[in-house]
Amino acid sequence: MAKRLLRWTLAAAAAGFAAFVYLYLSLPDVRPLRTENPPTTAFMELRAREADKAGKKPRKVQRWVSYERISPSLKRAVIVSEDAAFFSHEGVDFDELEKSFEDSWTKGKRLRGGSTITQQLAKNLYLSPSRNPVRKIEELMIARRLEAELSKRRILELYLNVIEWGDGIWGAEAAARSYFQKPASALEADESALLAASIINPRRYSPARPSKYLLRRQDLIRQRMGGVEPPAPAAVPGGPGGLP
């Protein structure tokens, strides 16, 4: 019986290792992102399929802008709301990840979404909104690859250009022009805080028609932002994992 149990254990370990190796080798090559902007993302393709299924024409409003052409206040607002420890972690906030797994195990909650900006970028570029454990592992592995190959500045630039900010609205420039009729470089602190507040669910919480909940988040983010200078390469006050 003991020998049979040992064989099963070894077989399971070998199968798990083989699955891990296969998963690792199948991950996308992120090195081109050093100098190239992705023409599309997994989330954009998902929204296009959803529109087609509903008999609608897919909508995509996006205009790429460089890091320098994005308001310092928006960079700070997004970091404060989404990933306060962005400049101090290596793609994964292990404290926040541990809390997520604890909630999943002890309280029966689903795994929360990406707790860092790098994880969210990985999910947007290559994955799906699914929260199953395999997809979560892929997200974590891609996030570590992104951190190994790209600078923090480039990761934040990519993130601010590809995230969803409403129906068919992608990236900071499209959001700034759609909601405030100005370029992303001209966004002020209150406008930046409102955009950052809506990232949690931009298809539900629109900056064009802010709900009471969205306005409360905007106010909390604005309080945590302090000044509007560019975020320094260190953790921004506010704690890991962003706002609730």
Side-chain angles (χ1 to χ4, degrees), residues 79-100:
I79 289 175
V80 164
S81 65
E82 295 299 301
D83 185 4
F86 176 65
F87 284 107
S88 63
H89 63 62
E90 296 181 355
V92 179
D93 186 334
F94 287 101
D95 290 337
E96 182 68 14
L97 183 63
E98 182 180 0
K99 292 177 185 177
S100 178

